Amino acid sequence: MSEKKTVERPEASRQDALADIDRLVAHEVPHGVDRRSFLMRTAVGGAAAVMTGCAASPESATSKAVETSKPAAPPAAAASAPPLAEDLHVVMKSKGPILTTVDEFYKVGPGPSSSHTIGPMRITYDFYQRATKLPAEQLAKATKLQVNLFGSLSATGKGHGTERAALAGLIGHEPATVDPKFLDGLRDKPDQVFPVKLGSKSIDVSLKDIIYDATKGDFKHPNTMTVKLLAGNEALLEQEYYSVGGGFIEWKGYTPPKKNAPKYPFATMKELRTHADSNKTTIGKIMLANEMSISGKSEAQVYEWVDKVINAMVATVKSGLAMPEDDVLPGPIKLHSKAATVYKRAMDDKFEAERGIGALSAFALAASEENGRGHLVITAPTGGSAGVMPSLVYGLLEVRKMDRQKIREGMLAAAAVGYLCKHHATLSAAEGGCQAEIGVASAMAAALIATAHDAPSLVVENAAESALEHHLGMTCDPVAGYVQVPCIERCAFGAVKAWTAYAIASNEIASRHRINLDETVAALAQTAKEMNSKYKETSEAGLALSVVLC
Ligand code: SF4
């Protein structure tokens, strides 16, 4: 019989825990603050402090509660998300066929967030390219480059390292090729100054030129930013941009690029599946034919890109698992890495099924922790969800040793699911909460697993539907604005749920599956629209409010 261990509980020394709550909960309601909201928030903060053993002062509890209780917004505005401007391409205006391609969709870049690091870096790099094309006499007058971040980029940008990503793009770094050590160096030595060569002029830029501006306002998109080239107070070039999720960017006056027609046009899963079934082929092969006709690439060229993505996913899991167990992720949460520990202990489990679940979780934790470190990740569909797909790719390819060709087709089927969610709903947590990131990633992963197992197209759809359905309503509330809690573990849950979805879909009678993917994507869009804006990557509610950092 094993010896029973005595677990020391930090709170055991406390004589009267409820007295602590009472002490931490402020009772004086400051002027101009909604009383009910204020008392509730101090109570949540106080209770969390006692439960976690973090003794926040009554003053800090009060100031945090005031911050999150005011201003007393009109009820209608408080209940709904800010509307998106109608002229953004991200807002679905036509029911035309999907024209997204894999090289646009799966992007390699620095974590931790495709919308808050890869998008802003692409934006400032785009601006830098535009600025270099200005006439020489204009460039000769330039004195300053300035970036202003708004909305969610401003509210949670500090935790994501948005200012470092924006500066890197401004000085000519691209997301896919930037050395993560360069970004780490900016974090460790934030006062560095870099010369930006524009024609004959050299302009010094530093993190001071990236400004965290208004978090609330009448923005076209929650992730809005402006970039300016100035001559004194005069703007020589100015552009308003939007980081619309998944690393995609748009700007004021944006029109989508012209592309060739797809061989098998589809805008819904029903249409996509009809193509596959009537041609007696798979969703993956239909997607390959479309990739080739839209982009003009050969089959080998399409698979060359898919292989790069697969290899990068495997590499990110490997590098995450190789990190020492006592590694601490950057930021105020001081979160310890656990991927290696979970993996090693799971491998020791005597039950095979538990080994599988533990290993899959560890692979997801590994890739997601790499994202938390700001290292290179692959958007599938976003940085926050960057642990989900890699865990399955690694598990199927490196552990199960499945045929690479099956994984390639699975990647294309997964992309189709991501495209449908982008086309009819959103991939942006700032628009739709975490259901749009981890939910979509899990649905994509379910399609990957089913395709890799040669499942019929209906089973592929059912698996994706099921995974997405059981993430609907999931909010985004990263603690302290860092893509770590709940994000890293959430990737593990997304991966395991994807496998559960496949297990159900491949064992049920497929034709009896009651809900189709198109219906669930519509529910994703509707839920995104009606979700309270506090739960859309603002770090103003949920865990971001209740977790007290010591
Ligand atoms: S909570 Fe979800 S959506 Fe929000 S940052 Fe984390 S992973 Fe992304």
Side-chain angles (χ1 to χ4, degrees):
M1 207 171 143
S2 67
E3 213 180 36
K4 215 175 180 182
K5 281 186 190 157
T6 311
V7 180
E8 258 191 47
R9 294 161 56 111
E11 66 271 37
S13 61
R14 221 172 265 136
Q15 293 302 306
D16 184 355
L18 288 177
D20 274 352
I21 293 181
D22 200 48
R23 184 178 68 79
L24 292 167
V25 173
H27 297 283
E28 289 298 316
V29 182
H31 181 70
V33 171
D34 175 64
R35 178 181 171 79
R36 189 165 173 269
S37 165
F38 174 80
L39 290 177
M40 190 193 79
R41 286 171 195 282
T42 53
V44 170
V50 167
M51 285 186 273
T52 57
C54 291
S57 68
E59 293 74 25
S60 75
T62 301
S63 73
K64 192 164 185 180
V66 168
E67 209 46 53
T68 51
S69 301
K70 72 179 185 184
S80 62
L84 293 174
E86 285 298 313
D87 57 342
L88 279 172
H89 182 59
V90 73
V91 177
M92 185 62 191
K93 279 181 290 201
S94 75
K95 296 291 173 198
I98 288 173
L99 298 173
T100 312
T101 53
V102 277
D103 55 352
E104 295 170 321
F105 188 71
Y106 293 122
K107 290 185 213 70
V108 181
S113 161
S114 51
S115 59
H116 286 57
T117 46
I118 297 177
M121 194 185 297
R122 291 188 68 210
I123 283 170
T124 48
Y125 182 76
D126 177 85
F127 185 85
Y128 164 73
Q129 297 292 334
R130 292 180 195 219
T132 57
K133 295 185 182 79
L134 283 179
E137 62 274 17
Q138 286 220 34
L139 289 178
K141 292 193 275 177
T143 54
K144 186 177 167 63
L145 280 155
Q146 183 178 306
V147 178
N148 290 60
L149 305 168
F150 299 95
S152 172
L153 290 178
S154 179
T156 64
K158 283 198 178 112
H160 291 93
T162 304
E163 77 281 16
R164 297 191 290 276
L167 182 64
L170 210 53
I171 60 181
H173 287 291
E174 284 188 272
T177 52
V178 67
D179 185 347
K181 287 194 195 113
F182 172 79
L183 298 170
D184 289 352
L186 272 180
R187 185 189 59 221
D188 299 339
K189 290 185 191 162
D191 294 332
Q192 294 178 74
V193 176
F194 302 90
V196 176
K197 192 100 175 86
L198 288 170
S200 60
K201 210 62 196 269
S202 177
I203 299 171
D204 283 347
V205 292
S206 72
L207 288 175
K208 292 195 181 91
D209 298 305
I210 317 296
I211 295 161
Y212 283 100
D213 213 315
T215 56
K216 299 214 161 71
D218 189 16
F219 311 124
K220 277 194 164 193
H221 188 274
N223 296 330
T224 291
M225 56 195 274
T226 59
V227 194
K228 292 178 201 155
L229 177 66
L230 298 162
N233 290 328
E234 183 202 348
L236 300 171
L237 181 66
E238 179 173 3
Q239 187 64 57
E240 184 171 300
Y241 288 93
Y242 319 106
S243 177
V244 297
F248 288 90
I249 64 169
E250 294 183 16
W251 49 87
K252 209 171 187 173
Y254 172 89
T255 48
K258 290 257 175 295
K259 294 179 178 177
N260 300 322
K263 183 168 182 189
Y264 299 106
F266 74 92
T268 63
M269 179 51 104
K270 187 177 179 197
E271 290 167 354
L272 174 58
R273 208 159 52 70
T274 302
H275 284 307
D277 295 346
S278 58
N279 287 284
K280 297 196 174 16
T281 187
T282 62
I283 287 175
K285 290 215 167 70
I286 293 289
M287 294 305 295
L288 172 67
N290 278 1
E291 287 288 330
M292 291 165 64
S293 55
I294 293 169
S295 68
K297 288 181 178 173
S298 66
E299 179 177 325
Q301 286 171 318
V302 173
Y303 281 142
E304 189 186 343
W305 178 263
V306 173
D307 276 347
K308 270 189 194 162
V309 174
I310 290 172
N311 295 344
M313 286 184 170
V314 169
T316 187
V317 173
K318 276 187 181 160
S319 55
L321 287 176
M323 289 305 285
E325 291 178 62
D326 54 359
D327 180 62
V328 177
L329 299 182
I333 307 174
K334 298 187 174 51
L335 194 67
H336 279 84
S337 168
K338 60 179 143 192
T341 313
V342 171
Y343 180 67
K344 277 184 209 148
R345 294 192 178 176
M347 288 299 96
D348 291 340
D349 204 296
K350 63 179 175 177
F351 296 110
E352 194 182 348
E354 290 177 19
R355 279 203 299 278
I357 293 170
L360 194 58
S361 303
F363 303 153
L365 294 172
S368 188
E369 285 175 357
E370 278 295 275
N371 182 59
R373 291 182 189 101
H375 291 173
L376 289 189
V377 290
I378 306 92
T379 62
T382 62
S385 58
V388 180
M389 284 280 288
S391 72
L392 274 316
V393 166
Y394 188 88
L396 297 175
L397 194 67
E398 297 287 307
V399 181
R400 286 246 166 130
K401 306 288 180 199
M402 286 184 100
D403 179 10
R404 177 173 280 258
Q405 183 55 27
K406 291 192 189 299
I407 311 295
R408 287 173 175 156
E409 285 189 30
M411 293 292 287
L412 291 172
V417 172
Y419 298 171
L420 286 163
C421 294
K422 180 181 187 299
H423 204 60
H424 294 286
T426 177
L427 304 179
S428 162
E431 284 177 333
C434 199
Q435 55 172 357
E437 289 202 14
I438 302 277
V440 174
S442 187
M444 289 169 57
L448 160 75
I449 306 165
T451 303
H453 285 88
D454 293 327
S457 63
L458 182 57
V459 173
V460 174
E461 174 179 352
N462 290 346
E465 185 289 314
S466 197
L468 183 62
E469 180 187 328
H470 299 292
H471 284 89
L472 288 179
M474 196 160 76
T475 58
C476 170
D477 50 0
V479 172
Y482 279 71
V483 188
Q484 296 178 6
V485 178
C487 322
I488 291 171
E489 285 189 2
R490 205 164 264 186
C491 281
F493 280 87
V496 174
K497 271 197 204 178
W499 200 281
T500 308
Y502 166 67
I504 295 172
S506 58
N507 288 306
E508 67 184 347
I509 295 168
S511 59
R512 290 186 188 165
H513 193 91
R514 182 61 190 80
I515 304 171
N516 66 52
L517 183 66
D518 296 321
E519 290 168 331
T520 305
V521 174
L524 171 67
Q526 186 65 25
T527 311
K529 277 186 193 143
E530 294 182 359
M531 187 181 282
N532 190 305
S533 59
K534 283 183 182 170
Y535 292 95
K536 295 181 179 182
E537 212 172 3
T538 61
S539 291
E540 288 182 354
L543 286 172
L545 183 65
S546 67
V547 172
V548 180
L549 296 178
C550 295

